[in-house]
Amino acid sequence: RQPHMLTHPVFRVWYELEDRGLDMLCKEGVDNICLSPQEWLFTPKTYAMAAYYLTSGSLQYTLSLDAAPSFEEEEDIIDVRSGTWISEAALWSHWYHRGCT
């Protein structure tokens, strides 16, 4: 699990400063989730309980206009590929999802 964590700059610095703390986080605070095709990881206006790292495959993120009214008038659809962090704002703030995957 740790190699995936080290792709994030915050976790990489943490590891350089105190590697045992990151090891403990990986053992106690990291889970694997497998999604079926068409299954939601999260939906708009729900509280973000975690950050996610896509280790394989791909998914689509759709920004909800209802949850983010200050954006364009059309929904944005973003292709997310493996090696991408998703919803990382949940790591350091109280965050509500603005879209769905």
Side-chain angles (χ1 to χ4, degrees):
R1 291 182 189 165
Q2 195 176 81
H4 302 307
M5 297 292 283
L6 294 177
T7 65
H8 195 284
V10 170
F11 295 126
R12 194 168 43 249
V13 169
W14 185 7
Y15 180 75
E16 290 171 7
L17 295 174
E18 209 271 307
D19 61 337
R20 290 187 307 167
L22 186 61
D23 287 341
M24 184 179 291
L25 174 66
C26 290
K27 290 175 186 169
E28 302 293 328
V30 175
D31 287 324
N32 291 316
I33 300 171
C34 295
L35 297 176
S36 301
Q38 307 303 318
E39 185 177 1
W40 299 106
L41 181 59
F42 52 79
T43 57
K45 297 184 178 180
T46 56
Y47 187 70
M49 299 293 288
Y52 305 95
Y53 181 80
L54 187 60
T55 58
S56 64
S58 64
L59 54 83
Q60 286 190 326
Y61 173 82
T62 303
L63 178 65
S64 169
L65 296 178
D66 188 38
S70 63
F71 288 89
E72 303 286 327
E73 292 185 18
E74 294 182 21
E75 288 185 335
D76 280 334
I77 298 175
I78 301 167
D79 290 321
V80 180
R81 307 234 183 272
S82 63
T84 302
W85 283 91
I86 306 163
S87 187
E88 60 190 299
L91 295 172
W92 50 77
S93 67
H94 296 285
W95 184 256
Y96 287 84
H97 295 291
R98 304 287 193 254
C100 57
T101 63

